[in-house]
Amino acid sequence: HDVEKHCEDAHGEGALGAGAGWETSAAWIAARGETSKFPCEPSSRGAGASGAVSDKALENKQIVKMRKVEALVRQLLDEWTTLDEAKKPESFDLIATKFMERVEPKYLAQMAEKFGGSAPGASASNGHGGADWGKEESEAGFEEGAEMAEEVVDGVEEAVPEEEAEATWAEAEAEADAEAEEEPAPRGGGGRAVGVGYAEEMKALLKSGHKTDAALMEVWSSHAFTAEDVPLAVASLFEAAMRGEGGATGTEVAARLVVELARKQQVELKTIEHALSAASGTLEDLVQENETAWHLYSHVIMLLFPKTVPSTTWGFLQRGWNWASWWAMATKVLEGADHFRAFDILVLVLQMIQDKSGAKIRQQQVWKEAGRAGKVKAVLCRWGEMDDASTMETLQAYSVEI
C-alpha cells in the first residue's frame, strides 16, 4: 500500500504508465530512495541501478562484480600468454587502446605508476631477480615506465578510432576463419555471404517512420526475402535496433515486427531464438553504444509469452507453444549474456507482463501451475548472485510480485 501511495503522491494516479520515460521514473526513485508503483518502469540501466534495493543487496552485488573483474582479468592474461610472440605486441597495443578509450585518466595514471614500479630492476622481490638485471636495464625500465605514464595519460584523446580497432579484429577473425575452413562461406537465398547481412535495409526500415504492424510488414515484404535470407535479415534487424537505429522505440518496433512475422509464420521461432542467442555474447558491447540495447530482449521475450485464458489473452498463440517452451527459449537466449544483464532483462519482462495483463505475476493463473514462479525465482537468484531474500527485495522494488 505504501508503494502505491509513493507513486500517486509524486505523479498522480496512473502518471507513470507504459509510455512514461524509464529514466525519469528511475531518477525520481533514486532521488527519493523509494520503490515504484506498478506499472512504473525500471531504468534503462537495469533493476539494480535505481538505488531502490537495500544497501546490503548493493554491497553484495559489488563484491560479486569485483570477483568477476578478477576472473575476467585472469582470463584475459591467460589468453594473452598463449599468443605467439609476434602477436603479443600488437595485442598489447590493442588492450592499451581500449583502456585509453574507456578508463578515466586518474586510473590510467595509477596503472602507469604500477607498471613503472614493476619494471625490471624496480625491486629485488619482483620475481625476476631485480638485482641481477644491472643498473642499465633498471634505469631503462624506469624510463620506459615513465614514458608509458605520459603516453597513457596524454593519449586519452588520441586513442585509435573505434572503426580502426574493429577493423583490426575483423581482419584477425577473417584470417582465423580462412585458416580453419577453406570452404566457401555459406550463402543466403539472395547470394549474400553469411555475416554480411542486411544492415542498410534494416536501418532504412527502422528509420522509415512506420509504426503500425501492417506498415512494417509491408516494408519487410517489399524485400522479398527467401527462406534462406530470413535468418540474416532478422539478425540484421535486431542488431540495427540495438545499435540505436530507429531511436528510442527502435528495439520495440523491431521486436514487434519479428514477433508479428512469427505469428504469420513468415519467421520461425527457432530463427528468433538463434538470432538472440548469437547476439547475447556481444550485448555488453552494444549497450556501450546504446544503453537501452538490451530492451530488445525484454520486448521479444515478453511478446512471445504464450496466450492463456484468462491471464494473458494478449499473448503469442501457436500450436505447441506453451509456458514450458517459452521458458526454455527465454533461459537459453539469456544464458549467453552477462548474468547481471540477464537478471535485468527478465525483471523487465515480468514487469511488462504485469503491465499488459493488469495483474501481478502471483495473481495470474498461468504462473500458479507446476512451480513456475519458483523456477523463475531460482534463475533470478542465480543470475543476480543473490540469496532468495535479496532477490525478492529487488523484485519488490519494481513492484514485481511472483
Side-chain angles (χ1 to χ4, degrees), residues 7-8 11-18 20 37-39:
C7 205
E8 290 172 8
H11 300 283
E13 181 68 34
L16 283 178
K37 173 194 171 187
F38 169 82

Coordinates of all heavy atoms in Angstrom, one line a residue, residues 7-8 11-18 20 37-39:
C7 N 4.0 6.5 -5.5 CA 3.9 6.9 -6.9 C 2.7 7.8 -7.1 O 2.8 8.8 -7.9 CB 3.7 5.6 -7.7 SG 4.2 5.7 -9.4
E8 N 1.6 7.6 -6.4 CA 0.5 8.5 -6.6 C 0.8 9.9 -6.1 O 0.4 10.9 -6.7 CB -0.7 8.0 -5.8 CG -1.3 6.7 -6.5 CD -2.4 6.0 -5.6 OE1 -2.8 6.7 -4.6 OE2 -2.8 4.9 -5.9
H11 N 3.3 11.6 -8.7 CA 2.9 11.8 -10.1 C 1.4 11.9 -10.3 O 1.0 12.2 -11.4 CB 3.5 10.6 -10.9 CG 4.9 10.6 -10.9 ND1 5.8 11.4 -11.6 CD2 5.8 9.7 -10.2 CE1 7.0 11.1 -11.3 NE2 7.0 10.1 -10.5
G12 N 0.6 11.5 -9.4 CA -0.8 11.4 -9.6 C -1.2 10.0 -10.1 O -0.3 9.3 -10.5
E13 N -2.4 9.6 -9.9 CA -2.9 8.3 -10.3 C -2.6 8.0 -11.7 O -2.9 8.7 -12.6 CB -4.4 8.2 -10.1 CG -4.9 6.8 -10.4 CD -4.4 5.8 -9.4 OE1 -4.2 6.1 -8.2 OE2 -4.2 4.6 -9.8
G14 N -1.8 6.9 -12.0 CA -1.5 6.4 -13.3 C -0.6 7.3 -14.1 O -0.5 7.1 -15.3
A15 N 0.2 8.2 -13.5 CA 1.0 9.1 -14.2 C 2.2 8.4 -14.9 O 2.7 8.8 -15.9 CB 1.6 10.2 -13.3
L16 N 2.6 7.3 -14.3 CA 3.7 6.6 -14.9 C 3.3 5.3 -15.5 O 3.5 4.2 -15.1 CB 4.8 6.3 -13.8 CG 5.7 7.4 -13.4 CD1 6.6 7.0 -12.3 CD2 6.4 8.0 -14.6
G17 N 2.6 5.4 -16.6 CA 2.1 4.3 -17.4 C 3.1 3.8 -18.3 O 4.3 4.1 -18.3
A18 N 2.7 3.0 -19.3 CA 3.6 2.3 -20.2 C 4.4 3.3 -21.0 O 5.4 3.0 -21.5 CB 2.8 1.3 -21.1
A20 N 5.5 6.2 -20.1 CA 6.4 7.1 -19.3 C 7.8 6.9 -19.6 O 8.3 5.8 -19.9 CB 6.1 7.0 -17.8
K37 N 5.5 2.4 -7.9 CA 4.2 1.8 -8.1 C 4.0 1.1 -9.4 O 4.4 1.6 -10.4 CB 3.1 2.8 -7.9 CG 1.7 2.3 -8.2 CD 0.7 3.4 -8.4 CE -0.6 2.9 -8.9 NZ -1.5 4.0 -9.3
F38 N 3.5 -0.1 -9.5 CA 3.1 -0.7 -10.7 C 2.1 0.2 -11.4 O 1.2 0.7 -10.8 CB 2.4 -2.0 -10.5 CG 1.8 -2.6 -11.7 CD1 2.6 -3.3 -12.6 CD2 0.4 -2.5 -11.9 CE1 2.0 -3.9 -13.7 CE2 -0.1 -3.0 -13.1 CZ 0.6 -3.7 -13.9
P39 N 2.3 0.6 -12.7 CA 3.3 0.0 -13.6 C 4.5 0.9 -13.8 O 4.9 1.1 -15.0 CB 2.6 -0.3 -14.9 CG 1.6 0.9 -14.9 CD 1.3 1.3 -13.5

